[in-house]
Amino acid sequence: MATIIDYVRGARTPLAGDLTPADALALCSLIYTDFHALAGPRSATGCVLGEVARASSIPALYRHALPTHADRPLLEAAGTSPRFREVRVRDAVTRLVPRPLAQFGAATFVDSSGCCFIAFRGTDATSIGVAEDARFGLDFPTESQRWAARYLAYASKRAEGPVAVMGHSKGGNFALYAAAVAAPDALERVYAFDPVGFPARVAHSGFFTSLEGRVSTYVTAGSWVSPLLPLPAPATLVDSSWPGPLSHNPYAWATEGTALRRDRRRPSRSGTALARLLAAILRVRPPRIGSN
């Protein structure tokens, strides 16, 4: 089974305005690397992935990495890939705040045609990142969601071409929220990979109406993440080599050419049961809905 790293290693055509689902998943996985640790990627001009990959041995790039991820192999593959090595990464941001709980990471990738791909990081290995996840069913919007909207507004103003926004897990939630709030004119596509959902009052309220027809959501059958809260758009089931809730790991997802391989199985009953349990809890303690 081909993984996202296999796809990156095998892709031969430079990325130039032809973003595919596999490309988007690759960028959403790359953002787990802490580009903010290097001066080049966190600057406004940035540097190409080929240059960043030459610094792949620096431990700070993976200081918040999840042990199940293959962040360094992916970065090194991207650095030598004809498709990704000339992609520029800029405006990289990492923020960890204990009060209120907020973990946020983002970067802008720019291809040779000037298209901008804005990626938001999902939950990392920090205690703050894990603890913050519990807030998504209880509070809306969170500080991190607001940061995502501000980042997208800033990055979109700097964009010289079309914009796509994307994220995996919590990052997918940020991508959806930011796209709905910032609503940049140049926005063409939103990719959400097994995203954290939203309180039902938000997901079903018309909050995401402006994104209709522009959202691509992918989930795994065994996930315990995306089923917990309602999603604003229909999702496509994709295959993973890891079972059950472990299938959330993007490095285990199956690629098929430039696409993600479909999974014909039904979503797991355990994910559905967890969603029902959370819904019962939220009936006792309804989410706090604030202003954006």
Side-chain angles (χ1 to χ4, degrees):
M1 183 191 78
T3 66
I4 197 62
I5 294 179
D6 296 322
Y7 169 75
V8 170
R9 286 173 176 159
R12 296 298 173 204
T13 306
L15 186 59
D18 55 344
L19 187 76
T20 70
D23 294 325
L25 181 62
L27 296 177
C28 289
S29 301
L30 276 169
I31 195 59
Y32 282 101
T33 298
D34 190 2
F35 293 114
H36 185 259
L38 301 180
R42 69 172 178 258
S43 70
T45 53
C47 57
V48 297
L49 284 171
E51 295 173 347
V52 179
R54 287 197 284 273
S56 65
S57 62
I58 296 177
L61 288 168
Y62 321 107
R63 56 188 166 185
H64 306 311
L66 292 163
T68 56
H69 281 196
D71 298 335
R72 181 173 176 178
L74 178 61
L75 175 59
E76 292 174 346
T80 58
S81 166
R83 188 159 183 81
F84 292 94
R85 65 191 177 202
E86 295 302 320
V87 171
R88 184 167 295 273
V89 55
R90 70 188 188 197
D91 295 318
V93 175
T94 294
R95 296 184 73 178
L96 290 167
V97 179
R99 290 188 180 181
L101 285 170
Q103 172 247 313
F104 176 77
T108 300
F109 298 94
V110 185
D111 72 12
S112 60
S113 72
C115 290
C116 284
F117 312 120
I118 295 152
F120 294 107
R121 185 178 303 138
T123 304
D124 62 19
T126 63
S127 57
I128 291 174
V130 174
E132 183 197 28
D133 291 353
R135 296 190 60 200
F136 284 91
L138 301 174
D139 298 293
F140 178 87
T142 66
E143 282 68 27
S144 294
Q145 287 170 329
R146 291 191 178 102
W147 292 343
R150 292 178 194 138
Y151 184 93
L152 178 57
Y154 163 78
S156 298
K157 287 179 181 177
R158 298 197 62 220
E160 298 178 356
V163 170
V165 59
M166 60 202 67
H168 166 261
S169 190
K170 179 163 58 182
N173 177 288
F174 293 163
L176 290 163
Y177 175 84
V181 172
D185 293 337
L187 180 67
E188 287 194 343
R189 202 80 196 157
V190 181
Y191 286 94
F193 298 99
D194 211 19
V196 176
F198 296 85
R201 284 171 54 194
V202 175
H204 302 149
S205 68
F207 182 81
F208 296 99
T209 301
S210 64
L211 302 181
E212 286 183 1
R214 292 187 288 175
V215 177
S216 296
T217 305
Y218 299 88
V219 303
T220 62
S223 176
W224 285 4
V225 175
S226 53
L228 291 179
L229 293 166
L231 297 176
T236 299
L237 281 175
V238 295
D239 198 9
S240 170
S241 62
W242 286 22
L246 297 178
S247 65
H248 182 64
N249 183 355
Y251 288 95
W253 290 21
T255 59
E256 198 167 60
T258 60
L260 304 179
R261 192 168 73 191
R262 298 285 188 94
D263 191 341
R264 305 300 177 186
R265 295 175 296 171
R266 293 182 178 181
S268 71
R269 287 179 290 180
S270 58
T272 303
L274 285 171
R276 289 173 180 164
L277 175 61
L278 180 58
I281 294 172
L282 294 178
R283 283 194 291 270
V284 177
R285 197 289 203 185
R288 290 185 290 258
I289 308 297
S291 60
N292 297 300

